[in-house]
Amino acid sequence: MTGKLVGTKVTRVEDDRFLRGGGRYVDDVAVGPDTLHAAVLRSPHAHARILDIDVDAVLDLDGVHAVWTYDDLHGAMAEPLPLLIPHPALTHGRTQFALANGEVNHVGEAVAFVVAEDRYLAEDALDRIRVDYEILTPVVGVEAARAAVHLVHEDVPGNVGARMEQEHGDARTAIALAPHRLELDLRIERSACTPLEGRGTVARWDADTGRLQVWTSTQTSTGVRAAVAAKLGLDLGQVDVITPDVGGGFGVKINHPWPEELLVPLAARLLRRPVKFTEDRREHFISSAHERGQVHHVEVGFDDDGRLLGLDVEFWHDHGAYIPYGLIVPIITSTQLLGPYKPANYRVVFESLYTNTVMVTPYRGAGRPQGCFVMERTMDAIAAHLGRDRTEVRSVNFIQPDEFPYDQGLIFQDGRELEYDSGDYPASLAKLKALVGWDEFPAFRAEMAAAGRQVGIGLACYVEGTGVGPYEGAHVHVETSGKVKVATGLTTQGQGHQTAFAQIVADTLGVPLSDVEVTTGDTRRMPYAVGTFASRAAVMSGSAIHLAALRTKEKALRIAADALEVDEADLEVVDGLVRVKGSPEHHVSLGTVAVLSNPLRYAFDEASKAATQFSVGDPGRPPVAEDDEPGLEGRDFYSPERSTFASGMHAVIVETDPLTAEVSILKYAVVHDCGRLINPMIVEGQIHGGVAQGIGGALYERMAYDEHGQLQNASFMDFLMPFVTEIPDGIDIDHLETLSPLNPLGIKGAGEAGVIPSAAVFAAAIEDAEGLSISSMPISPSELFELRQLRKDPTC
């Protein structure tokens, strides 16, 4: 598709509202002065049996309307929460209950639920509940889970929820026969999404109509709708889920339903009053999802040029106490680890392990940062072993541009073949080297060394599967005013959908951008959708919106051709006018076409007179043809054969302080290929945000559990995050556009690109600066200092 808006830097239309304080988040939803407020009692223990819960002191507390424990739940509400993505390898899948059923398996697990006149009363009521626990030994960390001296769930042998193996070729034989072999042990620590806005849910039951309205901060309105209907015994048509503005998601809000997303609607229905729950920050740390924690062992065989002859990877994934989102994260690690490379033989095995910690669901990157870290550390180790330039080793392993589509011989997270659709990795590397000054770096290093300063450079490459199915849909409707209303079902958490999607519609339909209004995440407007995750919005909803706009345009041309008494092929739509090509003075506005598209019996204004029975229509045929329907609108869905695969490469130059071991960023460069760019400004904003988040993950952020399963840094006072002072002032970005053949726009996703290679690229740069092996991330100044001490004295 070509147009005058797609591909240009259009200022985000939503920003004016946000910058003026006009954002409307779940906690801002006002459903009446009679709104009740909910609070949740959470377990203080990582592993314990619940012997007794005494709520007597709450029952007569003035202003408290409900107090529930597991015993107060019935029917589907008393069953475990859904295992959202089953998999044959997930032989021991376990999910939590809405309220703990006899046992708690992590600090923060929901035990009791209170609804009161205000949040203060609800919290006070929680303090009056007495729970008698029998403390059990917790399992914390991969090593303890593998040892299996203690079990998280008594019926899960060895704490192993799943074991999965995939192989292409014969990796172990190839490694054994290779002229060079290496082994590496690599670790990524736990982290978490920590969006500015935590989770929140508001619900209102209308007893007169038998309908439930739910507002929730989610990445999948339709998923929450289906879960609420199923658990509360309602028809889908009785439940509306609306996602207002969302203050960040990053993956934690794709999990659904959270206990509160069921308990709040249930309370609203039973109490016949609106109910609101807003998660506080500590709750988010100890009861929402984490990610990243994995331990990897690598064996690799390669030739004198560094060409991969065999690669064998085994890793252990810590999925926490429950596994509602299935094996998506470790499957992505196991497949996306390959990046832009083509090892002749590849084998990967992983075990997904239970621990008495917060459960794991995807966090921006979703297994890719771990896979990229493993592959890129391996590439750097090969280069060091051979004494070759790190870019040369990568180059000899690249899939070449004429090899696409390229089948890696594995199954991806969507159950489809891991087949890359397009790319040009040599061109990306050439751009990156020029952008960061790779060839000039030795001279820069010497210059800095002469000044007593220590610097290093690193690079990392990745491929990202984006636009996973199964589908997304869109509805495009032209009002009689000429305004265009667009609805798509996936949700928005700051990606600029109202702008990018409007650009697509404006170009496809031929209307001004200012005439297009986009609605997302409202099941009243689009009841069929999947959600916003895995860098899929532009590919999936963007394609669906394009197709729906084409349908709308086709109908507009047909109606206008009748009105103007010309052939459809002689018409074009420009700036909201359907006009005759070469004779633009002969035209009709899209608003008028919308009037004509709806034959009327009654006239309500001057415009509608044109569509009444004595003004329009052929008496010889029905006002609405058999194969048509009233209204100027189009509806369509896009469902891909398989994922598209974006790619990118990052490079960073760092300085390490010889005394404090502090790491400073001197230069950061990114080359990214997400196919056709809808809005380069938005893509660059996504990359900037991802890089900032990646810097946090590489140098600052981690979830620090002690041996008792207590999270030691469950506040923003203790959980380190980068400030603006830690983010480079300028990030150099260049784009490559290799179009995807899998969708009508030729686009690929971009949402997670900035964060994927961060751990790998910083490990490489710090290693280059220090001459120390970096095998675990994130790395703090104190850890770097300890590595220096170990180099001086390995016995210390």
Side-chain angles (χ1 to χ4, degrees), residues 155-399:
D155 59 346
V156 179
N159 294 312
V160 178
R163 183 184 187 277
M164 185 173 174
E165 178 175 347
Q166 292 198 69
E167 185 164 16
H168 174 67
D170 186 348
R172 285 164 289 188
T173 299
I175 294 168
L177 298 175
H180 303 280
R181 294 181 296 277
L182 288 173
E183 293 188 28
L184 296 86
D185 290 294
L186 303 163
R187 174 187 292 267
I188 296 283
E189 300 287 346
R190 261 192 183 225
S191 190
C193 302
T194 58
L196 284 176
E197 179 202 33
R199 297 182 293 107
T201 301
V202 179
R204 176 175 59 194
W205 172 257
D206 188 327
D208 293 331
T209 62
R211 293 187 68 83
L212 179 69
Q213 280 190 311
V214 180
W215 293 261
T216 189
S217 186
T218 183
Q219 292 174 233
T220 172
S221 302
T222 52
V224 173
R225 180 193 192 208
V228 169
K231 287 292 189 179
L232 270 61
L234 299 170
D235 293 334
L236 270 179
Q238 291 180 272
V239 182
D240 298 322
V241 174
I242 304 103
T243 300
D245 293 325
V246 175
F250 308 117
V252 66
K253 296 175 184 177
I254 190 57
N255 185 67
H256 63 283
W258 291 99
E260 300 83 3
E261 287 177 323
L262 300 175
L263 295 167
V264 168
L266 179 63
R269 186 183 181 193
L270 294 178
L271 299 174
R272 297 294 196 267
R273 286 176 64 177
V275 178
K276 173 185 285 190
F277 166 77
T278 302
E279 180 184 62
D280 67 33
R281 181 53 57 185
R282 176 168 170 79
E283 283 183 298
H284 189 81
F285 271 103
I286 65 172
S287 63
S288 293
H290 299 168
E291 211 241 86
R292 297 286 194 262
Q294 289 182 179
V295 176
H296 316 80
H297 178 72
V298 180
E299 297 184 17
V300 62
F302 49 96
D303 65 17
D304 292 342
D305 293 324
R307 189 172 288 104
L308 295 171
L309 303 177
L311 179 64
D312 190 9
V313 178
E314 187 172 10
F315 69 92
W316 297 268
H317 170 72
D318 175 356
H319 66 239
Y322 303 105
I323 189 166
Y325 213 74
L327 301 177
I328 294 302
V329 171
I331 289 175
I332 291 175
T333 295
S334 67
T335 52
Q336 297 279 258
L337 181 151
L338 294 175
Y341 312 115
K342 49 178 181 180
N345 301 275
Y346 174 59
R347 174 180 175 265
V348 61
V349 182
F350 70 78
E351 287 184 343
S352 196
L353 303 173
Y354 286 100
T355 61
N356 289 116
T357 57
V358 174
M359 69 182 185
V360 163
T361 64
Y363 164 31
R364 192 178 194 176
R368 297 176 186 88
Q370 300 95 310
C372 181
F373 180 69
V374 170
M375 189 74 255
E376 295 302 295
R377 291 278 69 206
T378 301
M379 284 293 179
D380 287 341
I382 292 170
H385 179 83
L386 296 174
R388 298 179 68 90
D389 186 281
R390 287 170 281 172
T391 62
E392 293 176 4
V393 170
R394 285 164 170 84
S395 293
V396 300
N397 286 287
F398 278 155
I399 299 164

Side-chain angles (χ1 to χ4, degrees), residues 749-767:
E752 296 165 280
V755 76
I756 292 171
S758 298
V761 77
F762 278 102
I766 294 168
E767 183 172 283

Side-chain angles (χ1 to χ4, degrees), residues 33-95:
D34 59 340
T35 299
L36 301 174
H37 295 260
V40 179
L41 181 68
R42 303 188 183 279
S43 169
H45 305 295
H47 199 192
R49 292 191 184 92
I50 299 174
L51 302 179
D52 183 61
I53 305 178
D54 183 357
V55 299
D56 289 348
V58 180
L59 297 178
D60 297 325
L61 193 62
D62 192 33
V64 172
H65 291 261
V67 54
W68 296 340
T69 66
Y70 173 78
D71 291 340
D72 298 298
L73 305 179
H74 305 286
M77 281 294 297
E79 298 171 358
L81 300 186
L83 200 169
L84 295 170
I85 308 177
H87 191 283
L90 182 53
T91 54
H92 294 79
R94 301 292 181 267
T95 61

Side-chain angles (χ1 to χ4, degrees), residues 19 497 682 697 789:
L19 292 172
H497 292 161
I682 288 177
Q789 296 303 108

